[in-house]
Amino acid sequence: MKVIIKIIAAMMLVLIMASCKNKDDRMLTVINEDGTCSREYTFHTTQQWLSASPDEDYDSIVDKTWERSWSVLGADSVRYPVPLTEAQLDSMQELDLSKPIGNMLMVHAKKEYQSVEEMSTQIYRSEGSHLVKAEGIKATSKLEKRFKWFYTDYTFAETFACEDSTLFPIPLDRFLSADTVSYWFTGQPDMVQGLSGAEAKELLDGIEKKINQWTNANWFYEICNLIIANYDKIQNPPVSKERFSNMRDSLVMQPCVLNANENEGKAESLTNQIDNLFQSDAYNQFLQTYEGGFGAYGILSFGTNYDLHMPGTVTDAGMGQYDGNVIHYRLGGERMIPGSYTINASSRVTNVWAFIVTILVILIAIGTFVFRKKRR
C-alpha cells in the first residue's frame, strides 16, 4: 500500500522518538566571560567529505567561516585538521577498531558568535554526513551577567519550541495530565521517585498505553483529513463529505481506533477501521492508490546530546548532569511536544583582580593608619 508507507514515514517517529537517534551526535555550546559564544556540532561523516579541501564549497551550511576538524570515534580524543590525508587513512587501517573506519569517522564543525541571541537563530541538525537547518524548531537564548565585585554570576537559558503549535491536532490533555505528559517526554517532574520497580513499571505501562492511544487518534485524524481533501476522488462514498467531516472528531476517539492492534501493523489496522466503521471499502480503496504525501513531523527527527560549557564554576546545572567540565543534556524533538523546552544553567566566575584590589586597599589603609600613628 502506497498510503501505508506515507503514513508510516510521516508519523512513525512519534513511536520510536529518541530510541533510534544517533547517540554519538553532540552539540557543544561554549559561553565565554565576555558574552561571546561558540557552537560545535559533532556527527558521523564520510571519508569523501573529510577529504574535501577547506577551499572547496563543500556544504551549504558549513562554509569557510566554520572551523572543521575530525577524529576517530572510540580510538582517542585527538582531533585532526581537515582535510583527511591518505597517510592518515592508511595509519587508521592499522587501528584495532570494533567497526569499519567508515563508521567511526566524526567531524567537528564549530562557529563563533558575538552573542547567544545570534547563535540561537542558527539551529542545525545532522543529516547523513552534512548539517542541515533544523526545520520546524525555533530557539531563543538569553545570557544574564551579574557583577558582584568579588564574583560575577552568569545565567544562561536556551529555549526550544515547535514552530507549528497545531502539529498534533488531537491534544494530549485529552488522555493524560500535564505533569504526566511532561514526565513522559522530558523526565520532569520525577513521577517514579520512591516507587518500587514493579510500581514504576505499572505506572509507565499505563502512561504508554495512553500515549499509544493519543498517537492512534492523531494518525487517524491525518487519514480522515486526507480523505476529506480528496473526497471527489472517492468512488461511491457511504456518506457525504460534509457528514464525514462532521464525524471526524468523534471517529478518532472510537475505542476501535484508540486501541488499534499494533501487532497487526499500525497503519493497516487503522485504515481497516474505516471499513469497519462505515461498512464500506470505498475509503480504503482510495487509500490503496493515493500517491501524495502528508504530515510534517520532521521536528521529531531532531535529536542530539547537548553539552554546555559555562564560564567559571557551575552552581546550577538545571536538568543536566555536570561532569566537572561540561553539563550534559538530552535534546530532542519529542521534548517539545508538551511545549517549549528550556536548557538552563548558572555559574560563577571569581574576580581575582577584585580580591587583589581589596587587599591592596586594606593594606594601604592599614599603612596609612600606622604611618599617622607614628607621626603622633
Side-chain angles (χ1 to χ4, degrees):
M1 289 185 179
K2 295 178 181 179
V3 71
I4 299 303
I5 298 174
K6 304 289 184 182
I7 294 171
I8 293 176
M11 299 200 67
M12 67 183 296
L13 295 170
V14 182
L15 296 177
I16 57 177
M17 293 182 182
S19 61
C20 72
K21 292 172 183 172
N22 197 323
K23 301 301 189 297
D24 299 324
D25 287 2
R26 312 203 79 82
M27 182 167 71
L28 171 64
T29 300
V30 177
I31 307 299
N32 302 316
E33 291 185 29
D34 62 358
T36 61
C37 56
S38 67
R39 177 155 281 166
E40 180 184 82
Y41 295 88
T42 296
F43 53 96
H44 283 275
T45 188
T46 63
Q47 173 188 341
Q48 291 77 11
W49 200 69
L50 285 182
S51 298
S53 168
D55 294 329
E56 297 179 34
D57 183 17
Y58 46 80
D59 191 88
S60 60
I61 299 297
V62 184
D63 54 31
K64 296 176 184 179
T65 64
W66 292 70
E67 175 187 326
R68 285 197 308 160
S69 59
W70 64 271
S71 63
V72 180
L73 181 66
D76 52 44
S77 58
V78 178
R79 295 189 179 185
Y80 307 91
V82 173
L84 168 68
T85 65
E86 290 187 11
Q88 290 172 324
L89 185 61
D90 292 339
S91 64
M92 283 191 296
Q93 303 294 339
E94 302 175 1
L95 296 176
D96 183 18
L97 301 175
S98 58
K99 298 179 182 178
I101 285 294
N103 297 332
M104 305 295 284
L105 293 174
M106 306 295 293
V107 67
H108 313 276
K110 178 182 177 181
K111 188 170 184 177
E112 305 282 346
Y113 297 93
Q114 292 302 307
S115 68
V116 297
E117 291 81 6
E118 179 190 3
M119 176 182 67
S120 286
T121 62
Q122 303 177 20
I123 297 298
Y124 306 107
R125 64 178 178 85
S126 62
E127 184 177 277
S129 58
H130 297 276
L131 283 181
V132 297
K133 290 184 178 180
E135 300 291 349
I137 296 175
K138 180 181 180 181
T140 55
S141 291
K142 184 178 181 180
L143 176 64
E144 294 183 352
K145 183 178 178 181
R146 297 185 180 91
F147 176 69
K148 298 181 178 180
W149 186 246
F150 292 113
Y151 305 96
T152 300
D153 289 336
Y154 293 81
T155 300
F156 171 74
E158 187 164 23
T159 300
F160 299 85
C162 173
E163 290 185 315
D164 185 1
S165 59
T166 62
L167 187 62
F168 298 100
I170 308 300
L172 264 165
D173 58 17
R174 297 178 68 173
F175 298 85
L176 295 165
S177 69
D179 282 349
T180 304
V181 171
S182 179
Y183 169 70
W184 184 259
F185 291 107
T186 72
Q188 297 294 328
D190 188 357
M191 299 184 67
V192 298
Q193 185 176 6
L195 298 183
S196 68
E199 292 168 338
K201 183 180 184 303
E202 182 180 6
L203 173 66
L204 295 175
D205 286 347
I207 297 175
E208 184 179 30
K209 180 179 179 180
K210 291 295 184 180
I211 291 292
N212 284 335
Q213 290 181 339
W214 166 73
T215 304
N216 283 358
N218 278 283
W219 277 31
F220 202 77
Y221 194 95
E222 292 285 1
I223 294 172
C224 290
N225 282 348
L226 181 66
I227 291 173
I228 293 170
N230 296 273
Y231 217 81
D232 58 338
K233 300 178 182 178
I234 297 174
Q235 301 295 321
N236 302 317
V239 297
S240 67
K241 179 179 180 179
E242 182 180 6
R243 172 64 175 161
F244 187 91
S245 300
N246 292 336
M247 294 177 64
R248 180 187 57 189
D249 290 348
S250 60
L251 290 174
V252 299
M253 298 303 290
Q254 292 294 316
C256 62
V257 172
L258 298 180
N259 301 310
N261 186 2
E262 192 167 346
N263 294 328
E264 179 184 339
K266 183 70 69 174
E268 290 88 346
S269 181
L270 285 171
T271 52
N272 287 339
Q273 298 309 321
I274 296 182
D275 289 352
N276 299 332
L277 290 168
F278 289 95
Q279 295 298 302
S280 169
D281 64 354
Y283 301 120
N284 220 339
Q285 286 293 329
F286 160 72
L287 294 175
Q288 298 277 350
T289 59
Y290 177 71
E291 296 184 357
F294 67 92
Y297 298 90
I299 180 178
L300 297 177
S301 65
F302 177 75
T304 188
N305 294 290
Y306 185 112
D307 294 340
L308 174 63
H309 184 275
M310 294 287 291
T313 302
V314 172
T315 56
D316 184 1
M319 291 188 290
Q321 298 292 324
Y322 183 49
D323 66 4
N325 183 32
V326 299
I327 311 172
H328 304 283
Y329 306 85
R330 276 297 298 165
L331 176 63
E334 78 282 353
R335 292 175 185 260
M336 304 170 212
I337 291 177
S340 60
Y341 181 73
T342 300
I343 284 172
N344 55 63
S346 299
S347 66
R348 170 169 287 183
V349 172
T350 301
N351 298 325
V352 177
W353 61 265
F355 283 91
I356 296 174
V357 170
T358 301
I359 292 172
L360 288 175
V361 170
I362 293 174
L363 291 176
I364 291 172
I366 293 174
T368 302
F369 174 78
V370 172
F371 177 75
R372 287 177 179 177
K373 188 173 182 181
K374 285 183 177 180
R375 290 188 62 182
R376 293 176 183 176

